[in-house]
Amino acid sequence: LKWQHVDDATGYTISVGVDPQKLYNSITVYGRNEYYFKAMDVGTIYYFQIEAFNRNGIGRRSSLVRVE
């Protein structure tokens, strides 16, 4: 996964799930704007959203991305 860098971000939270309304798993990434996600199964559709954060709080979530 790769996304646009946010200048003042400390890190990013990646929300992931197999249903667009149930992004129950999350991954925290510090200091980078990419993550190698190894947990996908062939034939399964995944949904992702990413939000930046820093000491001031959490930013707005990205648009929902569908990966087949």
Side-chain angles (χ1 to χ4, degrees):
L1 303 170
K2 197 169 198 176
W3 55 92
Q4 187 172 4
H5 173 73
V6 175
D7 288 334
D8 60 347
T10 300
Y12 303 89
T13 300
I14 304 166
S15 298
V16 59
V18 295
D19 183 303
Q21 301 301 315
K22 299 177 182 177
L23 303 180
Y24 293 152
N25 297 299
S26 64
I27 301 149
T28 302
V29 178
Y30 290 94
R32 305 182 280 148
N33 63 322
E34 62 184 357
Y35 180 78
Y36 185 66
F37 186 68
K38 301 181 278 186
M40 291 191 279
D41 292 323
V42 174
T44 301
I45 298 170
Y46 291 88
Y47 297 89
F48 297 91
Q49 282 186 309
I50 299 171
E51 58 191 354
F53 64 87
N54 63 20
R55 67 179 179 266
N56 296 318
I58 300 169
R60 196 173 331 145
R61 280 191 173 195
S62 69
S63 300
L64 188 67
V65 176
R66 176 185 163 129
V67 177
E68 294 186 41

